[in-house]
Amino acid sequence: MDKKIRLAGIAYESLVNGPGIRRVFFSQGCIHNCKGCFNPDTHDFNGGEERDMDELIEDVLCNPMVKGITFSGGDPFERAEQLSYMAKIFKENNKNIWSYTGYTFEFIMNNLEKRKGWKDLINNIDVLVDGKFEEDKKEDGLKFRGSSNQRIIDVKESLKSDKVVLLDI
């Protein structure tokens, strides 16, 4: 596998994309085109820049301050093959992993076998914030999400129980 990934950017020590100090990787490429998206420059699949995944992983693992990883975007599920490679290594190193996506958890589960990397990615993340951003459902004070339709899902419990289990945050 080519160990490159196209990213829109990186937030090196974020406190707003999940609990604790996190490294946030902004995936390049999104098909959802949500009205009011705060990252429209991440939509073009050819934008951003190619980065070496092993270097990105090593940089995280060398920083004891970083407790978790967040995949944002764009839509991380458009780069699931590459992000699942990174997620596996982060999980082996006991990092908490969150991912955002415009897809719903149900859509992802129904398409696991049809989309490269989706199964590996969903199996290596702890929390999924799912659903498209909906401008008319934007509310002040929402924690870790942009609109009230988006759910904060405990992936491990949801996979175990075969139904969506929300985190109480």
Side-chain angles (χ1 to χ4, degrees):
M1 175 172 116
D2 178 22
K3 299 232 182 122
K4 299 272 186 217
I5 185 168
R6 187 166 288 280
L7 295 177
I10 299 170
Y12 287 89
E13 292 178 2
S14 171
L15 294 168
V16 296
N17 294 281
I21 296 176
R22 310 182 73 78
R23 178 72 44 93
V24 184
F25 295 102
F26 293 92
S27 175
Q28 185 71 42
C30 185
I31 64 164
H32 304 297
N33 204 25
C34 301
K35 185 175 185 255
C37 174
F38 70 94
N39 271 347
D41 54 326
T42 65
H43 295 184
D44 180 357
F45 283 83
N46 297 309
E49 64 176 311
E50 290 235 315
R51 301 290 299 266
D52 181 282
M53 291 188 287
D54 288 332
E55 288 175 12
L56 296 171
I57 292 165
E58 185 60 30
D59 191 54
V60 167
L61 298 181
C62 287
N63 185 339
M65 299 274 294
V66 176
K67 302 299 183 211
I69 307 300
T70 299
F71 299 136
S72 192
D75 193 317
F77 277 78
E78 302 299 349
R79 303 244 179 234
E81 206 171 357
Q82 294 97 336
L83 291 173
S84 65
Y85 168 79
M86 293 173 69
K88 281 181 197 174
I89 296 169
F90 289 138
K91 282 306 320 159
E92 289 166 5
N93 287 277
N94 300 312
K95 299 292 181 197
N96 171 268
I97 303 174
W98 282 42
S99 184
Y100 286 81
T101 183
Y103 296 106
T104 62
F105 183 79
E106 292 84 357
F107 183 86
I108 291 167
M109 296 310 294
N110 289 331
N111 287 278
L112 284 183
E113 304 304 328
K114 298 175 194 144
R115 303 281 186 104
K116 271 189 156 187
W118 279 25
K119 190 174 192 172
D120 284 339
L121 184 54
I122 201 75
N123 283 319
N124 282 288
I125 58 178
D126 300 295
V127 175
L128 183 73
V129 182
D130 81 333
K132 293 180 182 180
F133 170 72
E134 294 182 21
E135 201 171 37
D136 62 333
K137 293 188 172 114
K138 183 178 177 181
E139 296 173 23
D140 284 341
L142 285 177
K143 207 166 181 188
F144 304 129
R145 56 200 175 125
S147 56
S148 61
N149 61 295
Q150 295 171 314
R151 303 175 295 181
I152 302 174
I153 298 170
D154 182 327
V155 174
K156 300 292 177 236
E157 289 303 315
S158 297
L159 292 174
K160 250 190 260 176
S161 65
D162 206 25
K163 68 180 192 318
V164 172
V165 177
L166 300 179
L167 272 180
D168 187 21
I169 291 184

